[in-house]
Amino acid sequence: MTYVTIGGVTVGICILLATLVKWWPGLKALQKDPLRHIGRLLPFLIAWAYGVLAILGIGGLIGWIARSTLWISNWLGDAALVWGIGGHAGQRASGHGYLPLTQTGGGILLILTVAIVVAAKKSRHGDDLLMGTWCGITLGTSAGVAGFAAVPLAQAANWLGDNVYGAFA
């Protein structure tokens, strides 16, 4: 398992904040039609949840891509902290154990991977899907996210996989 560093979390937070700044319609517009404006965030949020699940994958090509993405993000963030602002890089314990996907949860992850890849290629929301996935991968093993979202997402994927594949057993 590749753990996220302070630099990796910084990259994830930067992606999240950049997305929110680009999305922000203004207070009046948000108050006038909140559902339409919040709906514009939906592709990013779905891809974010997928990214969190992807980093929880144990192995295979999807797990390797997610771990490589996390490693690159850690390196970029640590380099930015050290060389950009003169700070310090380092790994910080996540503070929470993560719940890996079961075999059937992994099946659900594969199905979601196909959906995200096709949607990223065919949808006008391709950039949102890619950035959401990247953000989810970088924040999926951080202490706050691992306790808040990663465990429930993994439990949901494992439960769904058990019920989908249980019908074939």
Side-chain angles (χ1 to χ4, degrees):
M1 166 97 190
T2 302
Y3 292 98
V4 70
T5 65
I6 295 169
V9 171
T10 302
V11 168
I13 291 171
C14 287
I15 294 168
L16 179 62
L17 286 178
T19 300
L20 291 175
V21 167
K22 285 189 330 185
W23 163 81
W24 182 249
L27 187 58
K28 285 185 182 183
L30 190 59
Q31 289 173 335
K32 184 177 179 183
D33 193 3
L35 289 179
R36 181 173 65 90
H37 292 296
I38 292 172
R40 287 181 30 226
L41 275 179
L42 198 56
F44 178 85
L45 295 174
I46 289 169
W48 181 87
Y50 166 76
V52 171
L53 280 176
I55 198 62
L56 296 178
I58 299 298
L61 182 61
I62 296 168
W64 179 80
I65 291 170
R67 284 189 310 275
S68 297
T69 301
L70 181 58
W71 178 83
I72 290 167
S73 299
N74 286 339
W75 185 87
L76 288 172
D78 289 342
L81 288 173
V82 171
W83 297 102
I85 63 166
H88 300 284
Q91 185 170 321
R92 192 174 156 128
S94 67
H96 293 297
Y98 73 98
L99 179 66
L101 297 175
T102 61
Q103 184 176 10
T104 56
I108 297 300
L109 177 61
L110 180 60
I111 293 167
L112 291 174
T113 299
V114 170
I116 289 288
V117 168
V118 170
K121 286 184 168 268
K122 297 292 183 180
S123 170
R124 63 184 172 99
H125 301 289
D127 289 341
D128 291 331
L129 294 172
L130 293 174
M131 296 307 279
T133 299
W134 187 11
C135 184
I137 287 171
T138 58
L139 296 178
T141 57
S142 68
V145 176
F148 172 70
V151 171
L153 284 171
Q155 288 174 336
N158 291 340
W159 174 84
L160 183 60
D162 289 343
N163 287 301
V164 166
Y165 291 103
F168 297 103

